[in-house]
Amino acid sequence: MMSNIAFIGLGNMGSGMCANLARAGHQVRAFDLNAEAVAKAVATGAVAATTIAQCVSDASFVITMLPAGKHVHSVYFDDDGVLAHANENALLIDCSTIAVDEARSAVAKVDEVGYGALDAPVSGGVAAASAGTLTFMVGGETADFERAKPILETMGKNVFHAGPSGNGQAAKTANNMLLGISMIATSEAFNLAEKLGLDAQTFFDISSKASGQCWSMTSYCPAPGPVPTSPANNDYEPGFTVAMMLKDLRLAEDAADGAGADIAFGKQAEQLYARLEDQGLSSKDFSVVMRHVKDD
Ligand code: NAD
């Protein structure tokens, strides 16, 4: 069934997601503070909106893909924001990566007004957003999840219900902390193997079939050579930047402090990526940590 969809936040990720919704035949109204981003969305099948009010007034679904929690709260709750203008049956789906607490407090406020709302952050980068192969981790009521699922499936290949509000962000924060740590561990392993006399391909052939195997190795190898598509073979151009990894590790740290969870390695990983940022590498791919491990 085709729906009226409002899409707010047409950056690196949102532009591809919006294009996939329009390509599937949905009526998409697109809004961003950046007029160029709106023009690009129009070129891929959306209708331009110049205000949030115009974007959301007819929409059954309001999708946001914004930089951080403060932007989501502002777009939802400002006087000229989504809550002031959405129609009463609208379901709000926030796909941005934001803090678990920020997601839960947003839903609590939205609930008071009577709208349904989901946190639905994604895994997979810009290429997956364009290709429609994202993984969605969704928090919220089951009925709202079932209503959103066909829309999310237009933009992704895996759509998981993680439980009540905030659980999508909780899954995302734990997953990305694991990714940040495993990229460092993989880099250390390749460096150790090399120093002990193995070249990267030989170590990869063995470890990718042994118990050290992980995504950071087999899909995104930080050592140049074994995985041709990995950023290591393109001077560590992103991909997923050091700055984005730092954002996610800081969200994990805050969440862990609030929940009383011990994340000693997560905290060390945050410090290491912060050192990369201090060295001017924030816009390199986070797998550039391999160079740091090698040089130390
Ligand atoms: P981006 O900075 O490229 O895009 C954000 C867009 O939001 C920009 O076009 C900006 O103009 C717009 N925006 C900001 N404030 C606004 C407002 N008040 N009203 C309307 N538009 C506004 O960011 P991105 O890389 O597309 O990431 C979006 C979200 O997805 C982030 O939360 C990020 O952590 C998450 N994420 C990104 C990736 C990735 O690889 N880039 C992967 C997974 C998740």
Side-chain angles (χ1 to χ4, degrees), residues 11-13 31-33 65-67 75 97 122 124-125 240 244 247:
N12 293 318
M13 297 292 288
F31 176 74
D32 194 292
L33 295 178
M65 192 54 167
L66 296 161
V75 163
T97 302
V122 302
F240 190 69
M244 288 194 269
K247 172 195 164 184

Side-chain angles (χ1 to χ4, degrees), residues 8-15 17 31-35 37 52 64-72 74-75 78 94-98 121-127 134 172 176 239-241 244 247-248 251:
I8 303 174
L10 306 160
N12 293 318
M13 297 292 288
S15 55
M17 295 162 71
F31 176 74
D32 194 292
L33 295 178
N34 176 351
I52 290 179
T64 40
M65 192 54 167
L66 296 161
K70 65 179 180 191
H71 307 93
V72 175
S74 150
V75 163
D78 282 358
D94 179 40
C95 298
S96 327
T97 302
I98 72 173
V122 302
S123 179
V126 176
L134 293 166
K172 167 82 184 169
N176 276 29
F240 190 69
T241 62
M244 288 194 269
K247 172 195 164 184
D248 289 356
L251 288 175

